[in-house]
Amino acid sequence: MSGNEVTLHDKTFSVFINAEEIKVLTQKVAAQIESDLAGECPIFIGVLNGAVFFVTDLLRELKMDCELGFIGVSSYDGMKSKGKVTLNLPLEGGISGRTVVLVEDIVDSGLTLQFLLENMDEAKPKALKTAALLYKPDAFKGNYKVDYIGKEIPNDFVVGYGLDYNGIGRNLKDIYKLKQTT
Ligand code: IMP
């Protein structure tokens, strides 16, 4: 096995996006947000657990005033999206009249963000925006547009930088993709 590969449970993954590129993508998303939301003090809400590294790195790239919160949902089971989203934690503090940016590690089917957008809209925010480091356009089934995207990727299963395979792999600094077996 080379240093560019990692084995998690029964699967082998190879490096796909390294830490340097993740930083560049994060800076790109930060620049999009700064230009689009200039003069605002948005509340960034990281979707747990996957977005934990991306949202904290993203905020450290931002030169604007902002607040940080987290919300918990679960929709993945192993390597397949269950298509059903459960809200695990109530969001503390109000979002009424505020500009909110929901931050995901990756948008796959898009059902997690769709569920959050529909539920949080009831709290009457001034604006509800979405940001994701990675976006899988071929898997997307949502009825909304992701506002700020780091990188579009093919419909492959990826791990690392917050993304897990059955609970492990989140602590990897690079992002790896499932190695195709021939
Ligand atoms: P969606 O609701 O299908 O868009 O999935 C959103 C969540 O599923 C993400 O926040 C991740 O936690 C998880 N997810 C989606 N694609 C992957 C992947 O390729 N690897 C690991 N987790 C993923």
Side-chain angles (χ1 to χ4, degrees):
M1 180 165 303
S2 81
N4 290 333
E5 289 183 0
V6 66
T7 298
L8 302 171
H9 298 299
D10 54 338
K11 306 268 185 247
T12 302
F13 298 82
S14 44
V15 170
F16 177 44
I17 306 172
N18 67 28
E20 288 75 36
E21 193 187 346
I22 294 171
K23 188 171 169 68
V24 171
L25 296 173
T26 306
Q27 287 167 339
K28 180 182 117 179
V29 174
Q32 290 170 8
I33 291 170
E34 274 172 355
S35 128
D36 198 40
L37 302 181
E40 305 253 2
C41 177
I43 307 178
F44 289 85
I45 298 176
V47 182
L48 293 172
N49 295 322
V52 66
F53 299 119
F54 177 50
V55 74
T56 52
D57 285 343
L58 177 67
L59 260 63
R60 283 178 286 187
E61 295 292 348
L62 287 170
K63 289 167 220 70
M64 67 201 302
D65 288 345
C66 57
E67 293 179 34
L68 173 63
F70 289 94
I71 199 160
V73 294
S74 52
S75 78
Y76 245 68
D77 184 12
M79 297 206 298
K80 252 183 102 56
S81 180
K82 287 186 284 185
K84 262 176 67 184
V85 183
T86 336
L87 195 53
N88 295 334
L89 295 173
L91 190 66
E92 285 177 29
I95 59 163
S96 167
R98 299 293 304 274
T99 295
V100 173
V101 184
L102 284 167
V103 183
E104 268 276 38
D105 46 358
I106 189 165
V107 174
D108 184 297
S109 70
L111 295 176
T112 306
L113 278 187
Q114 188 156 314
F115 172 86
L116 290 172
L117 287 168
E118 284 164 5
N119 280 272
M120 293 171 76
D121 202 42
E122 290 166 15
K124 303 257 176 298
K126 178 178 163 194
L128 255 183
K129 303 279 189 180
T130 51
L133 176 64
L134 302 177
Y135 172 61
K136 295 182 187 171
D138 297 339
F140 189 67
K141 298 191 188 79
N143 60 5
Y144 60 95
K145 187 178 154 297
V146 182
D147 297 292
Y148 315 112
I149 294 171
K151 187 181 174 86
E152 292 193 0
I153 63 164
N155 206 356
D156 294 318
F157 188 76
V158 290
V159 294
Y161 194 64
L163 292 153
D164 73 308
Y165 169 44
N166 270 344
I168 60 173
R170 294 191 195 277
N171 55 317
L172 296 165
K173 286 191 178 138
D174 303 316
I175 293 174
Y176 295 71
K177 91 174 169 190
L178 185 63
K179 209 174 155 198
Q180 301 302 333
T181 43
T182 45

